[in-house]
Amino acid sequence: MLFADDILLVDKTREGVEGKLELWRSTLESKGFRLSRSKTEYMEYNFSSNRPSEGIVTLGDQVINKSTRFRYLGSIVQSDGEIDGDIISRIQVGWLKWRNASGLLCDRNVPLKLKGKFYKMVVRPAMLYGAECWPLKEKHNTKLSVTEMRMLRWMSGFTLRDRIQNEHIREKVGVAPVEDKIRESRLRWFGHIKRRPSDDPVKRVEVLDLTCVKKGRGRPKKTWLENIRNDLSLLDLNENLTFNRTQWRKKIHVADPT
């Protein structure tokens, strides 16, 4: 159980977090366990750059360390709401899986299609863990696409000097573009959300009202729903189709080259 000790307490105010933290501490100690003060951290997320900080968080008379990012269930959460740290982390995990299997993936006696199947089953899922919830920007798509093509070229035995187009290499290995697979997983998750009951927690998050939040200067942050709107427009889809699960899956599916 890799993440068995990952416990997350969330509240709107500092007092609420301290109250939950104290309740968690007393409950653990009543059962003979102890809460580690040194490993416990808190992170404050400001939806508005104009909002003042809530101050420090304490547990009894001890001040809890403040963090700007933390890992929860394999994903990196940042206090500024960005996903750059999570993207870098997933790319590193993908390379780790790739290097562990490099004996197979770099073997010239192994057919390219077999290498591609292994990549799709082992490397790509590790690299795209949690991708269905990412509010991706163009720079993130570029970084993931460059990483994937480096892996595919290495597997195929080609370099940039060979001047072989990416589409030709994908055809030989049988791997669809990572950007298209991310779009598929994002729309699949969107369909799951749309089919949930109105009182479901994930449904309440979708309709969360943030109109009262004061926005800072500059362009608004890229949101997940903005990605979804772009996906629906690109594929010419109507979100009402999500209630027909079979048709929705068929419309959003991206097949790997055969």
Side-chain angles (χ1 to χ4, degrees), residues 106-248:
C106 296
D107 191 341
R108 294 182 177 274
N109 297 320
V110 177
L112 287 180
K113 292 293 184 180
L114 180 59
K115 293 181 181 180
K117 288 182 179 180
F118 187 89
Y119 171 83
K120 290 181 289 186
M121 293 178 61
V122 178
V123 180
R124 188 168 68 185
M127 189 164 60
L128 300 186
Y129 173 81
E132 63 273 10
C133 299
W134 288 342
L136 284 174
K137 299 178 182 178
E138 190 59 36
K139 65 175 183 178
H140 301 139
N141 283 322
T142 301
K143 186 170 293 188
L144 290 166
S145 297
V146 169
T147 300
E148 183 176 73
M149 282 312 307
R150 286 187 62 191
M151 294 179 179
L152 298 185
R153 285 183 179 275
W154 206 335
M155 288 162 45
S156 306
F158 298 118
T159 66
L160 292 176
R161 293 181 179 179
D162 296 316
R163 304 182 67 84
I164 298 178
Q165 294 183 348
N166 294 343
E167 292 75 13
H168 180 65
I169 294 179
R170 292 187 184 279
E171 191 71 27
K172 293 176 69 68
V173 183
V175 175
V178 65
E179 185 176 353
D180 294 345
K181 299 304 291 186
I182 292 176
R183 183 188 304 114
E184 178 187 358
S185 63
R186 184 166 56 227
L187 289 174
R188 188 188 308 120
W189 177 245
F190 175 69
H192 171 74
I193 293 176
K194 297 295 289 185
R195 291 188 295 269
R196 298 301 297 168
S198 59
D199 59 342
D200 193 272
V202 72
K203 193 76 171 182
R204 296 203 300 269
V205 170
E206 183 196 15
V207 298
L208 192 64
D209 184 16
L210 297 177
T211 56
C212 60
V213 177
K214 295 182 179 180
K215 298 180 180 179
R217 291 184 176 181
R219 186 190 185 280
K221 290 183 179 180
K222 189 74 171 287
T223 64
W224 181 78
L225 284 176
E226 188 176 345
N227 283 137
I228 292 295
R229 287 192 293 268
N230 293 337
D231 295 340
L232 296 177
S233 176
L234 179 65
L235 301 180
D236 193 20
L237 296 175
N238 191 312
E239 64 180 51
N240 293 327
L241 186 62
T242 56
F243 296 100
N244 187 332
R245 183 175 181 180
T246 303
Q247 287 297 320
W248 180 253

Side-chain angles (χ1 to χ4, degrees), residues 30-45:
S30 67
K31 303 297 182 180
F33 297 96
R34 295 192 63 184
L35 179 64
S36 173
R37 270 70 164 177
S38 60
K39 294 183 179 180
T40 302
E41 297 179 334
Y42 80 95
M43 187 183 77
E44 180 182 4
Y45 185 84

